[in-house]
Structure formats: C-alpha cells, structure tokens
Amino acid sequence: MKVRCGHLFDTSLGKFLENVDITVEKGKIVSVSEADNSPVDEDMSNCFVLPGFADSHTHLCFDVGDEVKQIGEAAGYQALVAAKNARKAILSGVTTLRDAGEKDYVDFSVKRGIEEGLIPGPRMLAAGPGIMRTGGHMWFMGEEADGEAEVMKGVRRQLRSGVDYIKIFVSGGATSHFTGTVTPEMTKKEIDTIIYEAHTAGKKVGAHTHGGDAATWAIEAGVDAIEHGCFLTEEQLLLMKEHKTVLVLTSGIQRAIRDCETNSDFMREKAGGAYDNYLSVIKRAAELGIEMAAGTDTNHGNIAEEAVFLSKAGVSFAEAVKVLTINGARLCSLETLAGSIEAGKYADMTVFEEDPTNNISVLYNPSWVFKEGKIIKTPAGIVF
C-alpha cells in the first residue's frame, strides 16, 4: 500500500513535512520518501497526517461514575464495556493503549480479543488488577496487600500472570472513600520492595499518586511513571527531572469527575480542586523538560483533551503531539515499533482534514485512522 501525504508530522523534527509518500507492507512502513508522480492507494494530499496516538493511562472496563458498582459487575459484562471503550479509543486515533488496571485480569481477555481480531481496538499493555493497601484507593478492583512480604508476593503473582507492567496505588485520589487525595497509602519500604521486584524482572512500574510523601518515596525509589500528579510540588518535579520519571497527564478525568452529576459531592469537590491546581503543575513540568505522556483514564475517546490542556499550559503544538505519540510509545517500551512515522515501524496514522496547528481541538475528530496499515475509520464511516 502506498499513501500520499500532503502534510506529514515528523516527531524528531517537530514539524510537518510536505508532499511525502509512505509505502506499507505487512502492516509496517517500508519507506518514507518525497512524493512522486506514481499511483497511490490512498491520496491524503490535502490532509494532515500524524502518528497514531498512545493513550498511556486508561481503565477500559468502566466509565466515569459509580466505580464500585461498575467494578462489581460480572467479568463478562465488564469485558463488553471494555470492548465498547476500546472501540471509542481507536476511533479517536489511539493505536497504542496502556491499561492501568482491571479487576480479575479482565484486561487480558480484552487484549487477546483485539489481537485475534474479535473486536476493534488499539494494541494493549495490560497491568492486571494492580496493587494497593487494604482499603486503599481502588481497593475494590485490585490486589490488597500490606507489609513488605505481602507486596512482594503480590508483585510476583502478577508477574507470574503475565502483566506487561506493574501498577501500584501509593496514595489517595478523587474517588477515594477513606483517605484524602494526597494521603500516603503505602510505606516507603513497601514501595521500595515493589519497585525492586518489578525492575529485577525487567518490568516498569506506574504509581497512582497526586502528590504527598508517597509520591516522593516512589520517585526516589525509581518508579518509571507518576500517574496523575495533580498536586506535585516544585521539589517533587525537580526530583522527577533528576530521576527521569515520566509524568502521565490525565487532566480530562479530573474535569469529568468534577462535572459528573451522579458523583458524590466529595468526589466532585476533590476532582475540581485537583483540576484547578493541575495547570500550574503541568506548566512547570514542561518548563523543566520533564517527559510527559498522556492518558484518558475513564474519559474514553478524549485523548485530544490532553493536547488541549497542554496547549493551555503553554506547551507548543509539536511538543503536545510528542506527548501523545512518541513519549507514550516510549513509556510502553514500544518506541522502536510505534509513536512516529518511520521505516520499520507499524503503519499507525491519524489523519485530519483540517490543520491542527491552527486549532488544536481539531485533534478530537480524525477523519482517517490506520492501525498497522489497516484502515479502521474513514470520513464515510467505520471500516472494521
């Protein structure tokens, strides 16, 4: 297959290249070259072509709203919800997705369903149920563990199950029932133990935290990613810079929880406070050059909201696109296969008929989506 691109975004140069041909064989890009006069299979001469997006933090099995009720549903029903949300993700231009935790390893079945072509969706990384303290944030979803011996065993069980990375919940969140947003929910020794066990096995660790002491302990212990981070301090951001910790931006879920009328008042208030503080955190993280990726959490299909938020924080269009593409692929350890449009990588492309540099909100509505060279969406409708 040969695709002609009028404007192709180059992540390494941070700009659009003009009049480029992409040749694809067996789902991968064979060459990227200057357009010629030869026939093409797909003519995107008037379009703006970006790499497929990476959603670096999501929970496919549930939506914004009553999490306890949703996660209490039967596994089969949760899988159906996940299939719906995987479809929403890929139609929004997401071709790589890092699921940040599901009950009873339902994400494994969803991942298999996508890989076997049973349902449409991005390629997936699955974290399984995640690890938290007894009664900690999202306790009803994951594996509760207390003390160094229990968290060690928890990590080893999840590694045995075949998780792609380890997800831990080290402090509270907007929907926590028993603690505040930045209340530590693991000890320093527990966090150290988890990260040592995971890294020894060659697996990355993502830590749910908005800030507080537990965020500092996780960064110092070498956690690979801070998930959310709405209340990170200057000192913590400097520590992340030193340790090369990735910050996974999830602004949309704070806004969505705040605006969800069926949520309790305390959840809406906590999420609203987090959202109000987040812009200054992201602005400072960008100034410090901290690597960021972006996730929707349960704000499914709205990865573009993170790009818009980055723009509000003063981040350039080019850098915002990198956050949504190559940075996310790197966090997923897939940077040699995804995240940019280059020879040897998957032919993942998100195509727009309008210029997103003039209005970044254009990213909400891709006209075409390609995953591994297969057309998933066109202006005429959904192909899958």
Side-chain angles (χ1 to χ4, degrees), residues 115-138:
E115 290 176 346
E116 293 183 0
L118 301 179
I119 57 173
R123 72 184 57 84
M124 275 183 64
L125 268 68
I131 301 171
M132 69 285 293
R133 79 173 196 186
T134 298
H137 185 67
M138 302 300 288

Side-chain angles (χ1 to χ4, degrees), residues 238-292:
L238 289 170
L239 198 60
M240 290 178 69
K241 174 72 173 177
E242 177 186 345
H243 286 264
K244 298 182 180 179
T245 315
V246 178
L247 175 57
V248 183
L249 165 69
T250 58
S251 67
I253 188 57
Q254 311 307 323
R255 191 270 315 152
I257 294 171
R258 180 199 67 188
D259 295 347
C260 180
E261 294 182 358
T262 60
N263 276 338
S264 63
D265 289 342
F266 89 88
M267 288 183 185
R268 296 181 68 184
E269 289 172 6
K270 285 203 293 183
Y275 186 80
D276 291 343
N277 195 70
Y278 212 7
L279 195 65
S280 63
V281 172
I282 297 304
K283 182 176 181 180
R284 184 60 179 144
E287 290 171 349
L288 290 171
I290 292 171
E291 182 153 315
M292 288 185 276

